Amino acid sequence: MNKEKKMTEPTAQAAADETRVSGEPFTRAGLAVLRAIARLPYQAVRRIGEAVGTLAWLLAASRRRITLINLRLCFPDWSEAQRRRVAHAHFRYFMRSFFERFIFWQATPERIRALCRLEGLEHFEAHRGRPMILLAPHFVGIDAGGMRFQLELPLASMYGAQKSRALTEAMTRGRMRFNGARMLLRTEGLRPAIKVLRDGVPFYFLPDMDLGARDALFVPFFGVPAATVTSMARLARLTGSVVVPCVTSMNDDGYVVRFYPAWEDFPGDDLHEATRRMNAFIEERVREMPAQYLWSHKRFKTRPPGEPDFYSRDGDRR
């Protein structure tokens, strides 16, 4: 039995690897098409992205279901019609941002500056030279914001490797175009982030995804316990970093990166309260532009012991 298992597992892994390799030419062809579209006038790229977003809303049933479940959990007082309007708009924003990130990954600095403006930069300048964490929640314009600020000074951020090697290469190469920007692999933990912060490089940090129970606390997000990583508070404590929130929004003409005042007395002594403070700030920004938050992610996948899975068919609240 053990011998059979030892033979089967490598075979299954080899088959998975072969599937990924065989799909790479199609991925590279798709990337070439996306790069070509990105060279079109901006409004044309925008309309293509929005049209594909509507198509995804109609066809991507699983992601549509996740998005609606998240909105029901976070906005129980909304009507179902309002949730569906916001969810549809979210798909349009999401796919538009996906097409437009290829502009930011290949366009000239002049085009990038024209498409994305910075506001509230004085909140960053007030702490320039100190170790600094830029809290960048998962609004769909997040890539554009990071690329725009990267034109001004060196920046570091984290990324997760994709299943496709070609997509991972395109993503990391695109995000490291200017000023010696650094991309840190998420699986390497916090040690590389500590180093870049101590080197004086601002860290563009995206800590609001459900990455499992490890190094996380269950902290309310719109009143629902959500597994929330404590890494921002721990990084701030270890490095003496100041936290400056940085939120990117989309409009009809491009993007706006807005910096907020640095948080005082953060993280303090209470890790739970520091993490709750982060979620509360994100909630405020979500209420300002609800369709632009990443609702298609399973934000409440990890549950406290004994709680049901919101995303299982048994837990479906439709």
Side-chain angles (χ1 to χ4, degrees):
M1 188 71 164
N2 289 339
K3 183 177 179 181
E4 180 181 345
K5 184 177 180 181
K6 288 179 181 177
M7 291 177 65
T8 303
E9 288 179 349
T11 302
Q13 182 62 50
D17 291 343
E18 184 177 345
T19 300
R20 282 194 290 270
V21 171
S22 64
E24 288 296 271
F26 296 100
T27 301
R28 293 185 186 279
L31 290 169
V33 171
L34 290 165
R35 291 187 184 105
I37 291 172
R39 295 188 181 96
L40 297 172
Y42 178 70
Q43 292 301 330
V45 181
R46 174 192 155 199
R47 292 189 184 97
I48 290 170
E50 290 174 343
V52 174
T54 291
L55 188 63
W57 164 252
L58 296 172
L59 298 180
S62 175
R63 288 295 157 184
R64 182 176 68 237
R65 179 174 173 274
I66 291 166
T67 299
L68 288 170
I69 289 172
N70 285 335
L71 290 172
R72 289 176 191 130
L73 290 168
C74 294
F75 298 100
D77 54 324
W78 285 4
S79 68
E80 184 65 9
Q82 183 178 3
R83 286 190 287 260
R84 292 185 73 85
R85 282 195 299 272
V86 170
H88 183 190
H90 166 71
F91 273 70
R92 287 169 64 85
Y93 277 120
F94 179 86
M95 291 309 303
R96 177 185 151 193
S97 72
F98 177 75
F99 277 82
E100 291 175 8
R101 74 186 54 175
F102 287 85
I103 299 176
F104 289 86
W105 289 355
Q106 69 181 23
T108 63
E110 291 75 21
R111 189 180 187 195
I112 292 173
R113 285 192 170 95
L115 286 177
C116 187
R117 72 176 189 270
L118 305 178
E119 292 185 354
L121 196 57
E122 66 274 11
H123 300 303
F124 171 85
E125 294 293 351
H127 303 280
R128 184 192 279 264
R130 282 191 59 185
M132 187 184 304
I133 298 169
L134 297 172
L135 168 59
H138 273 87
F139 290 91
V140 293
I142 195 168
D143 236 284
M147 290 297 301
R148 172 63 183 86
F149 195 51
Q150 190 187 113
L151 290 174
E152 307 305 318
L153 76 170
L155 201 64
S157 189
M158 272 187 177
Y159 75 101
Q162 306 298 304
K163 291 181 180 179
S164 164
R165 181 178 297 175
L167 181 56
T168 299
E169 290 174 353
M171 178 180 69
T172 53
R173 186 167 57 247
R175 290 173 177 172
M176 295 192 297
R177 296 177 61 207
F178 306 113
N179 277 317
R182 310 182 202 180
M183 294 299 299
L184 314 177
L185 192 59
R186 185 184 297 147
T187 54
E188 294 178 350
L190 292 183
R191 188 171 296 175
I194 292 171
K195 184 179 186 306
V196 298
L197 282 165
R198 288 177 173 167
D199 287 344
V201 178
F203 186 46
Y204 193 71
F205 197 27
L206 300 62
D208 58 324
M209 295 185 76
D210 187 335
L211 300 177
R214 182 180 177 184
D215 298 325
L217 294 173
F218 285 101
V219 178
F221 185 60
F222 285 97
V224 183
T228 308
V229 293
T230 60
S231 45
M232 187 174 77
R234 289 187 290 122
L235 274 175
R237 185 176 294 166
L238 286 167
T239 63
S241 294
V242 62
V243 172
V244 175
C246 169
V247 177
T248 304
S249 61
M250 302 175 71
N251 57 43
D252 289 348
D253 300 313
Y255 299 76
V256 177
V257 185
R258 183 169 290 109
F259 295 85
Y260 292 79
W263 288 354
E264 297 182 2
D265 304 318
F266 185 86
D269 298 324
D270 188 332
L271 195 58
H272 187 280
E273 180 56 34
T275 308
R276 170 61 191 143
R277 182 177 179 180
M278 179 186 77
N279 278 4
F281 172 83
I282 297 170
E283 287 176 17
E284 292 173 1
R285 307 288 78 76
V286 170
R287 293 183 190 279
E288 294 169 354
M289 45 179 179
Q292 296 190 37
Y293 193 63
L294 189 61
W295 296 115
S296 47
H297 164 66
K298 290 184 178 180
R299 184 63 186 90
F300 305 104
K301 180 178 180 180
T302 305
R303 307 310 311 138
E307 283 203 8
D309 179 358
F310 291 127
Y311 304 105
S312 71
R313 289 292 173 182
D314 291 339
D316 199 332
R317 298 190 174 190
R318 288 177 302 173

